[in-house]
Amino acid sequence: MIKVLCTTEASLHRPEAVRWRDRMSHLDPLGDVVVVLPCSMGKPYSQSRSHRIFQNATKGFQEAILTSPFGVCPREMERTYPIQSYDVPTTGKWSQEEVDLTGECLKDYIGEIKAVAHVSGGYRDVCEKYIPQAHFTCEDGRTTSQESMQNLKRILRDYNKPKGKSREMNGLRSVARYQFNTKAADVLIPPGYRLKGRFNRRLFYENQQVATLQFDTGLFSLNLKGGQLLSEVDVNWVEIDFKLETNTLFVPGVVDSAPEILPRDEVVIVRKGDVIGVGKAVMSGEEMKKAEKGVAVRVRHRQKH
């Protein structure tokens, strides 16, 4: 997986960071409280020493991890590219632009839900400015100290943890909403779904495989059933007018395509209203329509005739 280097303040405006912050607006926190935590050098965060300590109190609650330049990372998204692959120095000092971009993202994500801010330093500056109504649990400047952790545990006793199945569904839908840039992507995880596998998690519905949640990227790769579900909400479609008989879709065969498609996006190939294939875009939706030659989509699965 390609590392995303974020070593200067200009990283706030990297396309990956801007896209992440924008798409967080599609996500909804689960439960009646959000616990705000600082990020860590280690990725995924839950494997770091500090987060292992935090999760003695926070596991099962909705957690939101503050990080620059990406803004906020809900716990269920910590293995999703690019948040699992960025490198940034954690000095604890934040510029005003970092505070504001991160704070706006956090405020938008939390909304009207109660918040517990277990943060210090620049992270606390963000929370005090943008969610001043939060309960602050770190008074000694050390988030892993015994006093801070006791404060956190005491506050969280007043809240109920969401149930395990609802947390799992919310996590899967969060990934789908982020990946496909719409809340309509919830259709990919219908009630009654099943998961199989330990690392690459295979998602099933009505005894058909919908998609695979890839361990290395934290993103979905579609099966034909997933393509059929997404086609119901007109997400990432590519229209063709011929019989698809190879695993490479070239530009001359594309009639039309969703303009929001970006290179490496999962796409649904349709012909006369029927889903006939799924795969990964090589170029953007706009390029597919304008280009005269080249590969538009690498096809993963297609209907056999």
Side-chain angles (χ1 to χ4, degrees), residues 19-56:
R19 187 179 306 128
W20 181 276
R21 294 195 301 268
D22 288 346
R23 294 187 181 191
M24 285 300 103
S25 64
H26 297 312
L27 274 58
D28 295 317
L30 186 67
D32 52 5
V33 66
V34 176
V35 185
V36 183
L37 300 169
C39 68
S40 66
M41 286 289 290
K43 313 290 186 311
Y45 303 122
S46 56
Q47 294 183 2
S48 68
R49 176 182 174 275
S50 60
H51 280 252
R52 289 198 299 269
I53 294 172
F54 297 155
Q55 290 200 295
N56 287 330

Side-chain angles (χ1 to χ4, degrees), residues 5-144:
L5 299 178
C6 303
T7 55
T8 68
E9 194 169 335
S11 300
L12 289 165
H13 305 288
R14 283 190 64 135
E16 300 95 334
V18 173
R19 187 179 306 128
W20 181 276
R21 294 195 301 268
D22 288 346
R23 294 187 181 191
M24 285 300 103
S25 64
H26 297 312
L27 274 58
D28 295 317
L30 186 67
D32 52 5
V33 66
V34 176
V35 185
V36 183
L37 300 169
C39 68
S40 66
M41 286 289 290
K43 313 290 186 311
Y45 303 122
S46 56
Q47 294 183 2
S48 68
R49 176 182 174 275
S50 60
H51 280 252
R52 289 198 299 269
I53 294 172
F54 297 155
Q55 290 200 295
N56 287 330
T58 61
K59 191 171 184 179
F61 290 102
Q62 179 68 68
E63 299 163 277
I65 300 154
L66 288 187
T67 180
S68 179
F70 290 90
V72 61
C73 176
R75 175 70 71 187
E76 63 270 21
M77 299 290 292
E78 68 174 350
R79 292 183 178 272
T80 305
Y81 184 83
I83 207 76
Q84 37 82 300
S85 298
Y86 77 101
D87 281 337
V88 63
T90 53
T91 63
K93 296 180 180 180
W94 291 54
S95 70
Q96 192 57 55
E97 187 175 20
E98 284 180 293
V99 168
D100 291 338
L101 286 176
T102 302
E104 291 288 354
C105 187
L106 176 65
K107 181 181 178 181
D108 183 56
Y109 174 72
I110 290 179
E112 301 301 318
I113 296 177
K114 299 286 186 180
V116 175
H118 191 72
V119 291
S120 63
Y123 302 98
R124 182 157 183 148
D125 294 339
V126 172
C127 293
E128 287 181 339
K129 182 174 181 179
Y130 285 91
I131 53 168
Q133 74 281 6
H135 290 287
F136 289 86
T137 54
C138 179
E139 300 301 336
D140 61 4
R142 296 181 297 128
T143 53
T144 57

Side-chain angles (χ1 to χ4, degrees), residues 6-7 64 128 136 167 179 194 214-216 218 229 235 241 253 255 263 266 271 280 285 287 299:
C6 303
T7 55
E128 287 181 339
F136 289 86
R167 293 201 307 270
Q179 182 173 353
R194 292 181 297 112
Q214 299 290 341
F215 181 79
D216 60 343
L229 292 173
V235 172
D241 61 357
V255 175
E266 290 288 305
R271 180 190 180 206
K280 191 177 291 292
E287 289 173 321
V299 182

